[in-house]
Each structure stands twice: as C-alpha cells, then as structure tokens.
Amino acid sequence: MSTQLTTLKDKKGLIRDHVYENLKKNIMELKLEPGRLISEKELVEMLQVSRTPIREALVKLSQDELIETTPQKGSVISLIDMQHAEEARFLRETMESAIVREACVKLSSEQVLHLQNLIALQELCESEENYERLFELDEEFHRSIIVGCGRTRTWGLIQQVTTHYNRIRFLRLATNHDWKIILSQHRGIVQAIKDKNPDAAEQVLRDHLERVVIEKEELKHKYPGYFK
C-alpha cells in the first residue's frame, strides 16, 4: 500500500475515532440526554465531518447500548436501563472487592502515594464543584488500583459493561454536589490498603459501590424521562 493511501486510511480512522469518542463523551456526560432524537444532519453540523464517520460511530455506539436506531424514529440516545446498571454494578463490586484485597499486598508505597494524590485532586474538584473532572478522577482512582494489581484486562472488561451504570454515577455527581461521602470512602480504601487490611478495604469498597443502589431511585424520581 502506498504512503498516500496509508495516510488516507489513517486519517479516516482518526476522524471516525474522534467522532465516536466525542459523541460517547457527550452521551456519558448527559450533554446528549437520554431519549433525545438525533439526526445524521444534526451531527454533521455539530462535528463538521461527513456522514460516513458519523454512521460508523453510530454503529459502535449502538453496540455500546448508548444509541438505539429504528427505521421509524432514526437514532435516539438510549434511556438508562436500571437492570443493566445494576448488573454492571454487581459485576464491578464482585471483581473490585477481590482486587482491592490483592491491592493490600501488591501495591507499592509509590502506587499508594499516587492514589493519595488523586484524592487531593478530587478534593480540589469538590471545592470548585467541577463534577466532570471529578468523574474522570474517580475513574482514574479505581483504574489505578485495578491496573496496579496487574488486572488491565479486568479494567477493560469493566469498561465494556458499565455504560448505563456510569451515566447514573455522572448524573449523581452533576445533580448532588455533596461529594464528601465519596471522598471519605476513597480515603478509607487507601488507608486500608496502606495498613494492609484486606477486610477493611473490601468493606469500604463495597459500601462505596453500593451507594448507587441507595441513590438511583432518587435520581429516577427526579429525572423520570432519563430512565427505562
């Protein structure tokens, strides 16, 4: 294949990936809200690209369960499915509970320091009420524990199944700026890892992930149009 053709192929791939990541971010952050009808024309104007990468991105988003496409309606941002969210939470809790016990043995002092630095950045987000950055740092906190234990593929699996669950988490951060319990639980997890106390680490981790169970009904009542 010539250099020109390779460059063209790479450029197409980059455009497609950019469109996909852009739309996924907007859906996950509820800027494209659940239930909203979107057209290819609207997306072409929004992203200033041709229809081809838009269509390819919509196919991938459909596979992620973030878009539903029907011949009658076109493309609609999928409603948050509580059953899928709960299944994802269960999977994440089951996996992370086992991994956080490993973390008490496997994580180095440098890795623990990194977790503490992430919490410090989360505290800054709390003072600035920056929920978008807080969500990113929350994800990085959990990723650092899982990948730090050598479970990179496990983190990849979690990412594949938590789209509905993560939208609930983001909605919670966006609508309720009382984040002290989240930060307190993160500190508790790190302290238990530092103390090499797997029972305490697992208990705090379970309490942390089960907060979605407590809060999801409140969110559903407040935003009934967002949920199935």
Side-chain angles (χ1 to χ4, degrees):
M1 185 181 289
S2 70
T3 303
Q4 185 177 3
L5 286 174
T6 302
T7 303
L8 182 61
K9 181 180 179 183
D10 288 345
K11 186 177 179 182
K12 282 183 176 180
L14 285 171
I15 293 171
R16 178 196 61 222
D17 293 344
H18 170 73
V19 170
Y20 167 74
E21 293 297 338
N22 188 300
L23 289 176
K24 183 174 182 178
K25 187 173 189 295
N26 277 287
I27 294 170
M28 294 303 297
E29 295 181 355
L30 306 167
K31 291 170 184 172
L32 290 172
E33 64 273 14
R36 176 175 171 176
L37 179 66
I38 55 171
S39 66
E40 287 183 8
K41 181 181 178 182
E42 177 188 4
L43 295 177
V44 166
E45 292 174 355
M46 180 193 302
L47 300 172
Q48 296 295 300
V49 296
S50 68
R51 288 178 181 266
T52 298
I54 294 289
R55 288 169 180 163
E56 291 174 344
L58 290 175
V59 169
K60 287 188 71 177
L61 290 166
S62 178
Q63 293 169 349
D64 292 340
E65 300 180 340
L66 292 174
I67 292 281
E68 294 177 3
T69 303
T70 61
Q72 296 80 14
K73 291 185 177 181
S75 296
V76 178
I77 308 300
S78 67
L79 298 177
I80 299 172
D81 189 314
M82 285 293 203
Q83 184 175 347
H84 288 189
E86 170 53 28
E87 190 171 351
R89 187 207 60 78
F90 170 78
L91 178 66
R92 184 164 180 171
E93 181 182 332
T94 302
M95 290 182 169
E96 286 197 54
S97 293
I99 292 171
V100 82
R101 297 184 71 89
E102 291 184 350
C104 294
V105 177
K106 291 184 175 181
L107 293 194
S108 66
S109 57
E110 185 176 341
Q111 288 171 312
V112 171
L113 179 61
H114 175 62
L115 294 175
Q116 291 172 323
N117 289 337
L118 288 173
I119 293 173
L121 290 172
Q122 291 167 16
E123 289 168 346
L124 183 61
C125 289
E126 181 189 22
S127 66
E128 297 178 349
E129 296 192 349
N130 186 343
Y131 60 87
E132 294 177 350
R133 181 63 178 141
L134 180 60
F135 181 84
E136 292 173 357
L137 289 167
D138 191 351
E139 284 287 272
E140 178 59 22
F141 178 81
H142 290 272
R143 190 198 72 82
S144 295
I145 294 173
I146 294 169
V147 174
C149 289
R151 305 291 185 181
T152 304
R153 294 182 69 185
T154 301
W155 177 252
L157 175 61
I158 287 171
Q159 292 303 294
Q160 290 175 31
V161 300
T162 51
T163 50
H164 291 273
Y165 174 71
N166 283 346
R167 283 199 286 172
I168 293 176
R169 288 174 57 218
F170 194 91
L171 185 60
R172 190 271 176 189
L173 292 177
T175 58
N176 182 352
H177 289 184
D178 182 12
W179 304 328
K180 294 187 185 301
I181 184 65
I182 296 171
L183 298 184
S184 174
Q185 289 170 336
H186 281 178
R187 292 188 203 99
I189 291 167
V190 173
Q191 189 60 52
I193 292 172
K194 192 174 180 180
D195 293 342
K196 301 188 181 303
N197 186 337
D199 291 339
E202 179 181 352
Q203 186 58 59
V204 180
L205 188 280
R206 286 185 181 275
D207 291 344
H208 179 59
L209 295 181
E210 285 174 0
R211 285 207 62 78
V212 171
V213 177
I214 299 168
E215 295 167 343
K216 67 180 181 180
E217 289 304 322
E218 179 183 340
L219 292 171
K220 190 174 181 180
H221 178 74
K222 194 170 183 178
Y223 299 94
Y226 282 11
F227 295 89
K228 280 189 176 180

